[in-house]
Amino acid sequence: MQPTGDVHLGNYLGALRNWVSGQHTCDAFHGIVDLHALTVTERPGVLGETTMSLAAMFFAIGLDPDVSTVFVQSHVPEHSQLGWMMECTVSYGELSRMTQFKDKTAKRENQFIAAGLFTYPALQAGDILLYDANEVPVGDDQRQHIEITRDIAIRFNHRFGDTFVLPEAVTPAAGARVMSLQDPTSKMSKSDDSDAGCVFLIDDPKVVMKKFKRAVTDSDTGPDAVRYDRENKPGVANLLEINAAVTGRTPASVADDYTQYGALKVDTGEAVLAALDPIRERYYELLDDPGELSRLLRVGAEKAREVASVTLKRAQTNVGMLPA
Ligand code: AMP
């Protein structure tokens, strides 16, 4: 995950929460990808701070440094090294078809667009392949990136012999695509024009409740006004999905409990807060001890390099590069 902007409910339900539940059954690697953040970094002195904040958030949500490897991408130079090899294994045409590039550049019309914004799926492929990852726990919007990673790995393996494990995207049953509370036809995103549709994990509880109370629903009333219908009632469906994700139910069964939008909004806000309150508290405690956070990140980088260096070497050897 990139250290740009605060972590929001979409990130949490789509990805982070599943990293925590998966850490005891999988050999988990989670990178804070500061090299990716360079694609949109134009001011000095900010990136280190946002990297520390994201590290605090990773541990606050429950990643355990004793079982999960949490590290900063630039502390593991193998990412840059394999990233270039991946850039040489993906085609211009493949990168041109990435919908995130189209979306991101559309939002930056008349602004500087770094070439890295175009090539970053190659660096991301390296991020994944370095760890022989079988599964990549992501939100729905990342599926295309995991697909291109597989395509790159298949091409590399075909050209140079068996080198990389082919990864698969793993998305959660509920919360894989959390939508904006103000525009439920577009995904919740930190780059939204207004903050009102995006619930941040460190939002004040009052702010969280306000955002839910103002969530866009519908104008029709009646006994079945609250029903799970993504196509025709996207705002209501989004609230039902969020509620289901945090309470461990299904959206349709949550809908059965309600006839009015107001009650659904309030209860969903409260259910979300029950999950976020302890996270926010831990986050501030952890942020108070930057020395300990830095130590944990150093340990993580060492563990990550042990694996990444072996994979990079294998790739270089299989290509036939002259050993240093
Ligand atoms: P990002 O910071 O946008 O790169 O996202 C980090 C992780 O959060 C990725 O795994 C995304 O798939 C996931 N994610 C981002 N936005 C959402 C959303 N609105 N709903 C569900 N998952 C999301």
Side-chain angles (χ1 to χ4, degrees), residues 1-2 8 10-11 14-15 137-142 175-179 187-188 190:
M1 184 160 174
Q2 286 192 45
H8 58 72
N11 300 135
V138 284
D140 218 28
D141 59 342
Q142 280 289 331
R177 196 170 186 81
V178 179
M179 310 307 275
K187 70 170 183 175
M188 186 176 282
K190 54 194 160 198

Side-chain angles (χ1 to χ4, degrees), residues 13 42 69 121 134 139 157 185 209 226 235 246 261 264-265 292 301-302 308 312:
L13 296 179
E42 288 167 14
T69 302
N134 303 98
N157 288 350
T185 57
M209 286 311 292
V226 177
V246 291
Y261 304 128
L264 172 66
K265 291 183 197 183
E292 176 60 5
E302 270 168 37
L312 176 69

Side-chain angles (χ1 to χ4, degrees), residues 89-208:
T89 314
V90 70
S91 74
Y92 179 84
E94 284 168 319
L95 291 175
S96 308
R97 288 192 287 275
M98 301 308 285
T99 54
Q100 283 219 356
F101 177 70
K102 293 180 202 161
D103 292 350
K104 285 187 180 178
T105 48
K107 279 187 187 159
R108 295 174 78 82
E109 209 182 334
N110 298 326
Q111 287 180 43
F112 177 79
I113 295 172
L117 216 47
F118 182 70
T119 58
Y120 95 89
L123 182 60
Q124 185 180 4
D127 299 339
I128 295 166
L129 300 177
L130 272 178
Y131 299 96
D132 290 336
N134 303 98
E135 297 184 346
V136 193
V138 284
D140 218 28
D141 59 342
Q142 280 289 331
R143 279 188 176 281
Q144 198 187 19
H145 286 97
I146 312 308
E147 278 307 312
I148 201 173
T149 299
R150 280 179 72 90
D151 293 343
I152 293 172
I154 289 169
R155 184 171 299 133
F156 194 100
N157 288 350
H158 181 71
R159 281 183 184 166
F160 303 115
D162 204 19
T163 308
F164 296 122
V165 171
L166 302 187
E168 267 177 39
V170 178
T171 53
R177 196 170 186 81
V178 179
M179 310 307 275
S180 160
L181 297 183
Q182 285 302 311
D183 173 10
T185 57
S186 60
K187 70 170 183 175
M188 186 176 282
S189 159
K190 54 194 160 198
S191 52
D192 271 355
D193 293 341
S194 108
D195 270 2
C198 184
V199 174
F200 293 102
L201 265 50
I202 55 167
D203 270 347
D204 186 84
K206 283 195 198 111
V207 173
V208 173

